Amino acid sequence: MSWSRRAILTLPALLAACGFAPVYGPSGVGRRLFGRIRTADPRTPDDFAFAGRIAEQLGPEESASYELGWQLRVAVVPQAITADEITTRYALNGTADYVLTDLASGRAVARGQVSSFTSYSTTGTTIATMAAEQDAHERLARMLADQVVTRLMAIDPATLP
């Protein structure tokens, strides 16, 4: 058995000794949050994509113990401008402020901000450009939701009621 193989085989024991627990393990955050988060009511198409991705990652609400509130902000920035001053590409820069609240106590369990970006081209037909813009908005909202879920999975399980 090579040293690297031994190290790989002993890694789980070393991590367990440090207090590491798998996210979806018996006492992990993933199990404690799955199906227990009610999302705020979406108001915009971006909100719907965001909330849908949260539900995909954390499961549909079965018995809510927490509420996830958020605010999405998206800025549209011209990226590529021709010599004729025609914009051929736009960037979408987005941020999501979020707060996870314990419904029983009203206490904020986690809060933070994530950000990401995407872009789309405007060189096709009007319909193609509109579809590309809509797709970029959906991709951005889903990326932001994925980042929020990652942050929620990093919560110390001891802080969850």
Side-chain angles (χ1 to χ4, degrees):
M1 184 182 301
S2 71
W3 170 250
S4 62
R5 183 169 166 92
R6 270 189 227 138
I8 290 171
L9 292 175
T10 59
L11 185 61
L14 292 173
L15 291 174
C18 299
F20 171 79
V23 169
Y24 292 106
S27 62
V29 173
R31 277 186 86 125
R32 296 176 96 183
L33 294 180
F34 192 84
R36 296 183 60 205
I37 294 180
R38 176 176 65 212
T39 59
D41 293 332
R43 296 179 305 260
T44 67
D46 291 339
D47 286 346
F48 275 97
F50 183 89
R53 185 62 174 175
I54 294 289
E56 284 177 27
Q57 296 286 344
L58 295 175
E61 174 193 341
E62 293 170 0
S63 59
S65 299
Y66 306 97
E67 181 172 43
L68 180 65
W70 70 85
Q71 180 181 9
L72 299 181
R73 288 185 304 282
V74 178
V76 180
V77 181
Q79 244 183 345
I81 303 172
T82 66
D84 299 334
E85 296 186 22
I86 297 171
T87 303
T88 59
R89 188 160 202 81
Y90 284 96
L92 298 178
N93 298 329
T95 60
D97 294 309
Y98 66 92
V99 61
L100 183 67
T101 306
D102 176 32
L103 290 173
S105 68
R107 179 178 67 91
V109 176
R111 67 175 66 236
Q113 182 182 75
V114 295
S115 62
S116 193
F117 70 94
T118 188
S119 63
Y120 65 95
S121 174
T122 63
T123 58
T125 64
T126 302
I127 299 294
T129 298
M130 290 172 61
E133 180 181 13
Q134 182 178 357
D135 179 66
H137 275 271
E138 184 173 332
R139 281 184 285 127
L140 179 61
R142 291 173 61 87
M143 285 188 284
L144 293 171
D146 286 344
Q147 288 183 28
V148 169
V149 169
T150 299
R151 297 273 181 96
L152 294 178
M153 292 299 119
I155 295 172
D156 180 2
T159 62
L160 292 176

